[in-house]
Structures are given as C-alpha cells and as structure tokens.
Amino acid sequence: MAPELQSPSPEALAALLDWYVANDVDVAIEEEAVNRLVARAAEPMPEPTQRHAPVSFESAPRPHPQPTIATALSPEADALAAREAAASATTLDALKVVLSRFEGCALKTTAKSLVFASGNPAARVMLVGDPPGRDEDLQGEPFVGPAGPLLDRMLAAIGLTRAEVYMTNIVPWRPPGNRAPTPQETAACRPFLERQIELVDPDYLVCLGPMAAKELLPTSEGLLRMRGQWFPYDTGKRTIQAMATLHPAYLLLQPLQKRLVWRDLLTLKAAITAATV
C-alpha cells in the first residue's frame, strides 16, 4: 500500500516561497523540462493579415516636425529672465510673488520653503546674510536657527531690534546640505536681491558672512580684511554705505571673534547716530 501523502503545513509553504524569492524564481515549472525553442518552431506561423492598404512613400505626406520644448534654460537665459521678472515688481509683496513663480534657479527644486525676508520694509538698516539653513528652510524666515538669538543680542547691543531692521539672504532657497550656492545659482537670484534692496532703499547695508560680502561688495579681499569698512553701494536710486561683518553662525563656532563684530557694530551705530544729529 502506497504511503498517504500529507499536505505541507503553512509554515513549510511559507519557507518554500521564501526560498523561491531568495533564488529569484519567478515562474512555475512543470514536472518535465520543456524545450520551448523546439516547441515554438513546431507551431505553424500565422498567416499575415493585411489591415491597411499599402502606402506609397512617394505619395505619402510627410509629417511636420514637432517643436522641442526646452526643459532648462542656459545660465545666461536664466539671469536675463530673472532681471526681467525682478524689474516687473513694483512692491516687495509683488517681488515675493514673482520670485515664488521663478523657475530659473535649481535651488528651488530641493528647498522646502521660499525664504524671502523679515523685519521692517521701511528700515534704515538692511541685513543680507549667507544662504538660509535648515531652520530657515522649515520656517520660511531668515535668521530663525541657532544663530538667530545671537543676532538679536548683537542688534540689541547697539539699540536695535528685529522690528527695526530688514533681513534677507543672498539666495532665497536653502542649498542642499548647506553647501555654498554655485555661481549660476547666485547669478539667477541676484536680480531679485538687487531689486529687493532697491525697493527697501535702506541707508545702511550690512553683509553678514563671506558669501554675502563677496556677492554685494566691490572687493576681492577676504572677509577678515574687509570687515568693518564702508563701501559704496548703488541701490538703483542712490548710493548708500555698505559694510561686511562676521555671520552670527560663525561666532557660535568662534566666540573669540565677537570682539571684531562688536567693533563693526559700533561703527554702524556711530554712522546712524551721526546721520540723526
């Protein structure tokens, strides 16, 4: 008498399926091997059916080529588009809307938020910082990360508050991994920053950090050499005074350099005081 076959348990079936997956088995097989090449050769070929009348290439009309849509502009074209878009904005609110619709900077595709500005649009002092970081990207406002409280204390030391200054960044989107923006990225964003400065029209422009200083001030010197000095800056309406100093985030890593920034802040305070006398 032949032994009775028992159905495998669910655990055994699951183990078998796991083995199939581990060995890249994706089709079921029969008891005996089948040479499918021989099987297909033995099958009669179906008669071809003519579904359409033959077409003469001499008489057939040639289709017109479809226009190609460019998926990306050149850096020069992006910068030109940025200048035209920025010039079309007559207010800061309009500039923010135009900037939010601008697609010519690759940073927009990786950032979460547009970091436009904060503070008083009628301020006499405008701060332009290096690119926004993680916290700024999450909240959509400049200087809200760990360096923010230190910046507040820096301003308070010369009698200013956030509500009395206007703050922005050299680019409105956070570069991935907090890397430095490329020359193409800053070139695409620069017209919007220049238009922003023109619309605010401050009396004093302060660049916080080396990237902001390099982008806006007419000098090739390093930040430690150029900090604390006044440079002329043309807003498009008039020439104002511009200065560079160290970024608050740098001071968190190098606290001893606060003494240098304190001198720069005193220079700014003296200029403001002299202009109000």
Side-chain angles (χ1 to χ4, degrees), residues 6-178:
Q6 296 182 353
S7 299
S9 66
E11 291 78 9
L13 290 175
L16 180 61
L17 289 175
D18 290 339
W19 184 86
Y20 284 158
V21 172
N23 289 273
D24 294 329
V25 176
D26 57 1
V27 293
I29 60 175
E30 300 176 3
E31 294 293 336
E32 296 182 3
V34 177
N35 190 335
R36 301 187 182 278
L37 296 178
V38 175
R40 289 184 180 179
E43 295 178 359
M45 294 294 293
E47 292 293 333
T49 57
Q50 183 173 320
R51 296 181 179 272
H52 302 284
V55 178
S56 172
F57 289 99
E58 287 75 11
S59 60
R62 296 182 179 179
H64 295 287
Q66 296 297 319
T68 301
I69 300 177
T71 57
L73 299 177
S74 65
E76 295 78 10
D78 287 335
L80 177 59
R83 285 193 294 271
E84 294 176 349
S88 68
T90 57
T91 65
L92 289 171
D93 290 337
L95 183 65
K96 183 177 181 180
V97 172
V98 169
L99 184 55
S100 67
R101 297 173 179 172
F102 182 65
E103 303 292 339
C105 180
L107 294 177
K108 183 179 181 180
T109 61
T110 57
K112 178 182 181 295
S113 304
L114 169 70
V115 184
F116 184 69
S118 67
N120 183 5
R124 298 182 62 192
V125 178
M126 180 173 179
L127 308 178
V128 180
D130 285 347
R134 176 182 179 275
D135 294 284
E136 288 76 16
D137 184 42
L138 292 175
Q139 300 185 42
E141 291 188 18
F143 297 103
V144 293
L150 178 55
L151 177 61
D152 293 340
R153 295 195 295 271
M154 291 166 57
L155 294 173
I158 57 173
L160 295 175
T161 66
R162 281 182 179 248
E164 296 174 293
V165 299
Y166 186 84
M167 297 180 288
T168 189
N169 303 92
I170 60 167
V171 293
W173 296 288
R174 177 199 181 195
N178 287 343

Side-chain angles (χ1 to χ4, degrees), residues 132-254:
R134 176 182 179 275
D135 294 284
E136 288 76 16
D137 184 42
L138 292 175
Q139 300 185 42
E141 291 188 18
F143 297 103
V144 293
L150 178 55
L151 177 61
D152 293 340
R153 295 195 295 271
M154 291 166 57
L155 294 173
I158 57 173
L160 295 175
T161 66
R162 281 182 179 248
E164 296 174 293
V165 299
Y166 186 84
M167 297 180 288
T168 189
N169 303 92
I170 60 167
V171 293
W173 296 288
R174 177 199 181 195
N178 287 343
R179 63 165 174 78
T182 66
Q184 292 78 14
E185 291 164 349
T186 54
C189 297
R190 183 184 177 96
F192 296 101
L193 176 59
E194 292 176 340
R195 182 60 172 159
Q196 197 172 10
I197 297 173
E198 181 180 3
L199 290 172
V200 176
D201 194 27
D203 294 330
Y204 306 98
L205 181 66
V206 180
C207 300
L208 299 175
M211 287 179 273
K214 180 181 178 181
E215 188 68 18
L216 294 175
L217 300 184
T219 178
S220 58
E221 292 185 334
L223 181 59
L224 290 177
R225 286 182 173 270
M226 64 186 293
R227 46 148 288 276
Q229 304 176 47
W230 289 116
F231 295 88
Y233 181 87
D234 185 1
T235 67
K237 296 180 179 179
R238 60 191 176 119
T239 299
I240 64 173
Q241 297 186 83
M243 173 198 295
T245 191
L246 304 176
H247 196 284
Y250 175 79
L251 299 180
L252 293 177
L253 301 175
Q254 301 289 337

